[in-house]
Amino acid sequence: MAEYHPEHEHMEHDHMNIPKYLLIFGILVVGTMLTYFAATVDLDFIFPGANTLLALLIAFTKMACVMLFFMHVYWSPKLIWLSAIASFFWLAIMFAYTMQDYFTRGYGVFTG
Amino acid sequence: MSAHASDKFVYHEPGLQHQFDDMKQQEESVSIGMWMFLVQEIMFFGGLFTAYLVFRSRYPMAFAAGSNHLNAFWGGLNTLVLIVSSLTMALTVYYAQKSNRTMQVVMIVLTMIFGATFLGVKAIEYSDKYNDGLVPVTGLNKVVKEDPGAHHEAPKPCWEVEHGAAAAEHHVVNPRGEFLWTDCSLAKLAEKENFLTPTERIGYYSNGELDGNKFRDKVRIFYFIYFVMTGLHALHMIVGLGLMAWLLWTAYKGNYTAEYYMPVEMSGLYWHFVDIVWIFLFPLLYLLGRHFMH
C-alpha cells in the first residue's frame, strides 16, 4: 500500500478508559430510572401521547450512548456510521409507509 | 540474509488472515460484516415494532390495560441487569485490548451471570402470565377446574370488575386454559373523557354497549405482541449466552490480545444490540399506560 503507516495500523482503541465506561453506565442507569418515573406522571395535559414521546426520547438517548461509546461507533470509519444511520432511515420508511396506509383507508372498515 | 532476500521479506501480523492487506483492512471488513448483520436484525425486530405501532394506534386503551398488568418492577430490574451486562461486556473488550487474560475471563463470566439473571426473571414473568391466564393462546394457560360446590355471583359489567384478569387472585375458573380478561374500565374512562379512537368505537362495542369480550380480544393482541417480542428477544439472549460460552473458552486459552481481539469486539456488538432492543421494549411494553393508574 502506498500510504502505509505502521503506527496507524490498528483501529485506534485507547479512547475509552474505565472511568469513561462507568460514566456511560451511570447515564444509562439514570435514564432507566427517569423512564420509569416519567411514565408514572400523567403528561397528557401537554398533548396526548407526551408520555410516549418522552419515553422514546430517553430510549433514543440511551441507545445513542450504547452505540457511540460501548459499540465504539464514535471512533469507527464513516461506513459504519452510514450503516448504523441507514438502518434507522429504512426503519422510518417502513413505519411511515405502513402508517400512511392505515391512516388513509378509513377506520373501522375491517375491524371486528 | 542477503540484502536482496530481505527485500522479499513481508512482515506478517500474527492475527492477520492471508486475504487482507493489513490489520486495519481486516478489522474494518470484519466490523462492516457484523454491522450488516445487525442492520438486518434491526429490520427483523422492526417488523414487530411495526405490528406494535399499527395495533397500538388502533386500540390504545386495550394496550394500556394490558401493559398495566405487566410487572414494571421485574421489567425495570431486567433493564438494569442488561445495562450492567453491557458494561461488563464493554469491559471485556477493554481488557482484551489491554491483553489482560484474567480480567477478560472474569468479565465474560460476569456478563454470563447477568444474562442468565435476565432469563431467570423472564421465566418468573412468563410463569406469572401462565398462572393468571394471560398467555394469548387457548390451552397454554393454567387449567383451573370448576369447583362443583361454588356459588356463582351475578356477572358484573366489565367496567366494574377490579384488578384486570388476575385469575389466580380471584380463583377464576378456567377449565380450558383460555386467555382471561374481564376488566374494561380503561375503555369506560376513555368513553367518559371522550378520547376513544374511531377504531375503538367499533372495536370495543356491541349494539352501542361496551362489550367485555370484544375488549378482551384487543388486549389479547397486546399479549400476542408482548410474547412474540420478548420471546424473540429472549431467544437472542440465549444465542448471546452461547456466544459468551465460546468466548469464555477461547479467552481462557489466551486467544485474544491487543494484536487480535476482533471476536471479542464483534460478540460485544451483538450483546449491546440485544441490550438496545430491550431499552425500547421496556417503556413500550411495560410503561405505556402507567400514567392512567391513579
Side-chain angles (χ1 to χ4, degrees), chain A residues 1 9 11 32 52 72 107, chain B residues 13 22 24 56 199 265:
Chain A
M1 288 172 76
E9 187 154 340
M11 277 190 201
T32 305
T52 305
H72 307 133
Y107 277 108
Chain B
E13 295 264 0
D22 54 45
K24 186 172 189 293
R56 184 178 164 186
T199 343
E265 170 104 21

Side-chain angles (χ1 to χ4, degrees), chain B residues 131-291:
Chain B
N131 289 327
D132 289 355
L134 290 173
V135 182
V137 180
T138 301
L140 293 185
N141 287 292
K142 187 176 168 187
V143 172
V144 183
K145 291 264 182 282
E146 194 165 11
D147 181 1
H151 68 97
H152 290 280
E153 290 174 30
K156 290 183 199 170
C158 66
W159 53 89
E160 285 173 13
V161 181
E162 284 168 27
H163 282 304
E169 288 165 39
H170 302 297
H171 302 285
V172 172
V173 183
N174 193 4
R176 291 176 52 219
E178 282 171 296
F179 179 77
L180 295 179
W181 191 275
T182 43
D183 175 7
C184 70
S185 53
L186 272 186
K188 195 72 184 171
L189 175 81
E191 180 191 76
K192 224 180 282 169
E193 305 199 357
N194 202 26
F195 56 86
L196 284 170
T197 65
T199 343
E200 284 177 302
R201 290 183 198 285
I202 296 161
Y204 301 161
Y205 287 81
S206 290
N207 306 320
E209 183 87 349
L210 255 181
D211 184 336
N213 289 338
K214 287 181 84 172
F215 188 74
R216 176 203 61 212
D217 288 343
K218 307 307 180 280
V219 177
R220 194 205 299 259
I221 295 174
F222 171 80
Y223 275 95
F224 262 120
I225 288 176
Y226 165 79
F227 271 98
V228 172
M229 291 188 94
T230 59
L232 188 66
H233 180 268
L235 188 66
H236 277 78
M237 290 297 294
I238 293 167
V239 171
L241 280 178
L243 207 56
M244 286 300 128
W246 166 75
L247 209 57
L248 179 63
W249 174 240
T250 45
Y252 175 77
K253 288 198 298 183
N255 285 10
Y256 308 122
T257 60
E259 283 75 43
Y260 178 69
Y261 59 89
M262 270 294 139
V264 186
E265 170 104 21
M266 293 307 111
S267 310
L269 290 184
Y270 176 84
W271 194 268
H272 295 311
F273 164 77
V274 177
D275 181 26
I276 287 173
V277 173
W278 188 262
I279 284 175
F280 283 92
L281 287 184
F282 173 55
L284 290 179
L285 292 176
Y286 287 78
L287 300 176
L288 67 97
R290 210 130 289 257
H291 60 285

Side-chain angles (χ1 to χ4, degrees), chain B residues 85-159:
Chain B
S85 82
S86 255
L87 175 70
T88 56
M89 186 67 237
L91 290 177
T92 309
V93 177
Y94 172 80
Y95 284 116
Q97 289 167 346
K98 297 273 177 280
S99 307
N100 186 335
R101 190 186 75 124
T102 314
M103 287 307 286
Q104 270 181 70
V105 169
V106 169
M107 287 300 157
I108 294 170
V109 169
L110 284 177
T111 309
M112 290 179 80
I113 290 172
F114 288 118
T117 308
F118 178 91
L119 287 174
V121 170
K122 213 73 226 133
I124 294 172
E125 288 190 77
Y126 280 178
S127 56
D128 281 351
K129 301 290 163 286
Y130 167 81
N131 289 327
D132 289 355
L134 290 173
V135 182
V137 180
T138 301
L140 293 185
N141 287 292
K142 187 176 168 187
V143 172
V144 183
K145 291 264 182 282
E146 194 165 11
D147 181 1
H151 68 97
H152 290 280
E153 290 174 30
K156 290 183 199 170
C158 66
W159 53 89

Side-chain angles (χ1 to χ4, degrees), chain B residues 46-84:
Chain B
L48 294 172
F49 279 107
T50 310
Y52 173 93
L53 186 63
V54 167
F55 284 107
R56 184 178 164 186
S57 66
R58 293 170 86 74
Y59 306 113
M61 283 298 122
F63 266 55
S67 168
N68 284 348
H69 204 74
L70 296 179
N71 192 325
F73 169 75
W74 285 129
L77 181 75
N78 254 354
T79 313
L80 292 176
V81 166
L82 269 194
I83 287 173
V84 180

Side-chain angles (χ1 to χ4, degrees), chain A residues 1 4 8-11 13 16-18 21-22 25 28-29 32 35-36 39-42 44 51-52 55-56 59-60 62-63 66-67 70-73 77 79-80 83-84 87-88 90-91 94-95 98-99 102-103 107-108 110-112, chain B residues 13 22-24 27-28 31-32 35-36 38-39 42-43 46-47 49-50 53-54 56-59 72 79-80 83-84 86-87 90-91 93-95 97 198-199 202-203 214 218 259 261 265 269 272 276 279-280 283-284 287 290-291 294:
Chain A
M1 288 172 76
Y4 183 73
H8 293 143
E9 187 154 340
H10 296 282
M11 277 190 201
H13 55 62
M16 288 297 280
N17 50 35
I18 289 179
Y21 276 123
L22 289 177
F25 170 71
L28 293 175
V29 171
T32 305
T35 307
Y36 182 82
T40 59
V41 182
D42 192 348
D44 279 350
N51 282 88
T52 305
L56 284 175
F60 269 101
K62 286 165 75 183
M63 181 188 69
V66 173
M67 285 178 76
F70 280 5
M71 298 169 92
H72 307 133
V73 169
L79 200 52
I80 302 278
S83 342
S87 62
F88 291 101
W90 251 253
L91 210 53
M94 177 155 67
F95 290 162
T98 308
M99 292 322 286
Y102 273 96
F103 281 141
Y107 277 108
F110 47 91
T111 52
Chain B
E13 295 264 0
D22 54 45
M23 287 305 280
K24 186 172 189 293
E27 288 176 7
E28 281 192 14
S31 300
I32 290 293
W35 274 97
M36 286 302 124
L38 293 183
V39 166
I42 289 171
M43 297 313 288
F49 279 107
T50 310
L53 186 63
V54 167
R56 184 178 164 186
S57 66
R58 293 170 86 74
Y59 306 113
T79 313
L80 292 176
I83 287 173
V84 180
S86 255
L87 175 70
L91 290 177
V93 177
Y94 172 80
Y95 284 116
Q97 289 167 346
T199 343
I202 296 161
K214 287 181 84 172
K218 307 307 180 280
E259 283 75 43
Y261 59 89
E265 170 104 21
L269 290 184
H272 295 311
I276 287 173
I279 284 175
F280 283 92
L284 290 179
L287 300 176
R290 210 130 289 257
H291 60 285
H294 48 81

